[in-house]
Amino acid sequence: MRFPLLPSLRTGGSARCQRCGLRHPASAESCPHCGELDDAEEEQLRRRVEREQKGQAELGRVFLILTAVIVGLLLLLVLR
Ligand SMILES: [Zn+2]
């Protein structure tokens, strides 16, 4: 059986860069993120990416707390 939705969900031939760890199209000859950077610049890029990922994790936690608060308020309204 075939699942027609699956191909559209796939990112289609992406590979993770060995150097900076970011994803890029597998067809790319060199990594578009760090291909033109020297080692020092690549280090900076990696740190920035790390910080952004941490920020996203933080954002996810805030969102989770907000959801919990909203659910709690709804429960209070319902149970009153
Ligand atoms: Zn790279």
Side-chain angles (χ1 to χ4, degrees), residues 17-22 24 31-35 42 45:
C17 173
Q18 294 292 318
R19 197 167 170 223
C20 69
L22 291 173
H24 60 79
C31 174
H33 306 292
C34 69
E42 188 269 332
L45 170 72

Side-chain angles (χ1 to χ4, degrees), residues 2 5 21 24 26-27 47 53-54 60 65-66 71 73 77 80:
R2 286 174 63 87
L5 271 177
H24 60 79
S27 58
R47 282 203 190 135
Q53 282 171 349
K54 251 181 224 161
I65 291 169
L66 273 180
V71 168
L73 285 175
L77 284 175
R80 206 154 49 146

